[in-house]
Amino acid sequence: MITIYTLEEIKELRDISEAMKEELQSYFKEIAKGIVGENWRSYNLDEVGPILVLEDDDTVDVLDEYGLMQGNKSVPQALPEFALRVIVGDVEMLKIIWVCNDSFGVSVYYPIGKFSKEFDEFLMEYIME
């Protein structure tokens, strides 16, 4: 799992596609600019929560680092605020937003079909069209 807090971390990523890097930069800008305005480039997501990108060798267990699965192996036990379908390059993904308390959340980029059908069906209920 890739964990991102700064724009610099996105720029330093080597094992992701250019399309994914562009998506992450755009999303980081959206979050940071909404919080600090024009100084967004130097913002650190520490106080609001990271952007996570699931990698090919990740299992559902990585989501438990943030308490999202709570030991369950099939569906998250934390309810997402919402999910958005995004196409990154030729990969259909969900950008899932979990708010963990009033000011901290986790954004997860999840390639559809990565885990189980049950996991996907659960998340589809939260898609904003």
Side-chain angles (χ1 to χ4, degrees), residues 1-6 9-11 13-17 19-25 27-28 31 45 49-59 62-63 65-66 68 86 88 91-96 98 106-112 114-115:
M1 176 173 61
I2 300 169
T3 305
I4 298 165
Y5 287 96
T6 66
E9 289 173 334
I10 297 169
K11 291 178 179 178
L13 290 172
R14 299 286 174 247
D15 296 332
I16 65 168
S17 68
M20 188 70 211
K21 195 178 275 194
E22 289 173 17
E23 169 68 25
L24 291 170
Q25 288 174 344
Y27 186 49
F28 180 90
I31 295 169
L45 298 173
I51 300 170
L52 308 176
V53 180
L54 297 179
E55 298 179 281
D56 290 342
D57 59 347
D58 287 334
T59 65
V62 299
L63 297 176
E65 289 180 32
Y66 294 90
L68 302 175
V86 293
V88 180
V91 179
E92 185 177 13
M93 303 182 92
L94 293 179
K95 181 169 44 175
I96 311 157
W98 272 284
V106 178
S107 301
V108 177
Y109 279 88
Y110 167 74
I112 294 175
K114 169 140 185 68
F115 296 140

Side-chain angles (χ1 to χ4, degrees), residues 50-125:
I51 300 170
L52 308 176
V53 180
L54 297 179
E55 298 179 281
D56 290 342
D57 59 347
D58 287 334
T59 65
V60 74
D61 297 329
V62 299
L63 297 176
D64 252 347
E65 289 180 32
Y66 294 90
L68 302 175
M69 299 301 292
Q70 298 175 17
N72 192 302
K73 298 292 185 193
S74 57
V75 296
Q77 298 302 292
L79 302 178
E81 290 294 310
F82 62 90
L84 300 169
R85 281 184 198 267
V86 293
I87 305 294
V88 180
D90 59 352
V91 179
E92 185 177 13
M93 303 182 92
L94 293 179
K95 181 169 44 175
I96 311 157
I97 313 303
W98 272 284
V99 176
C100 302
N101 63 35
D102 288 344
S103 63
F104 187 84
V106 178
S107 301
V108 177
Y109 279 88
Y110 167 74
I112 294 175
K114 169 140 185 68
F115 296 140
S116 67
K117 182 178 179 185
E118 188 177 10
F119 188 92
D120 288 351
E121 288 173 353
F122 173 82
L123 291 174
M124 294 302 171
E125 295 179 28

